[in-house]
Amino acid sequence: SVYHPWLKEKLNILIQLVEGKKILEVGCGNGNLIKFFSKTNMDLSGSDFSEDYLKKAKIKNPGIEFFRGDLTDQDFWKPYENSFDTVICSEVIEHLEQDKIALDIIFSILKPNGVVIVTVPALSFLYSNFDSKVGHYRRYSKKSLTKIVEESGFKVENSRYWNFLGMFGWFFLFKILKKDIRSVSNSFFSNILGNWLKIESRILFPIGQTLILKARKN
């Protein structure tokens, strides 16, 4: 699928940002991302709001503990306070009307000095009908993401735009042609993007389709 090389390159970046041993992925979806982490010796768990996704995630990752969690329900997370070294939150908060509550919750469940790794769709001008169809409330800039992360008490350590080439593809397919993702997932496009991202992971571009941020609970 169009996502595979893209996901792999993204993972290579995320895995370098993770700290500690006890790792939670919030909004883990069907478990594709966490599957790559399972090759490490981390103590992994995943949570999602969708029972359907969790079933799939459990089948793909028999060794990992999954549970249903709502990132807008602060009471649910009380028992998990100060529990995790790293929380990974990848392509999640753009789906939440109240993204700030989710970050408050993540702050509370991290151990002191723990880190959150957030990835979100970037750049408001790329916002398309496709975004709204897949349930995105917004796309972020470095400034807007940093602001809400800091408001939750975190200290941002680094943030970068990523997937510069994908940005043009996204603009062309979803803004100009108004396509649906299902009609564009071919392996030719996927391989070009995968090869490009190998190069881009070593170069920082001033803009890109995705924003990756790491912040610490001080």
Side-chain angles (χ1 to χ4, degrees), residues 59-70:
I59 292 165
K60 280 182 196 166
N61 301 281
I64 296 174
E65 184 212 339
F66 291 96
F67 60 91
R68 187 167 184 267
D70 177 353

Side-chain angles (χ1 to χ4, degrees), residues 78 135 207:
K78 289 263 190 300
I207 50 174

Side-chain angles (χ1 to χ4, degrees), residues 23-26 28 34 44-48 54 64-67:
I23 316 297
L24 171 69
E25 187 191 356
V26 291
C28 64
I34 211 167
L44 296 164
S45 42
S47 85
D48 201 274
L54 287 172
I64 296 174
E65 184 212 339
F66 291 96
F67 60 91

Side-chain angles (χ1 to χ4, degrees), residues 95-135:
H95 292 275
L96 302 172
E97 199 165 359
Q98 297 174 301
D99 50 0
K100 171 78 169 60
I101 291 180
L103 288 160
D104 290 346
I105 288 170
I106 292 170
F107 187 85
S108 74
I109 64 177
L110 279 166
K111 294 175 184 172
N113 213 39
V115 298
V116 63
I117 299 161
V118 182
T119 78
V120 288
L123 307 173
S124 308
F125 75 82
L126 290 178
Y127 192 90
S128 64
N129 288 340
F130 180 72
D131 279 284
S132 108
K133 203 161 137 187
V134 294

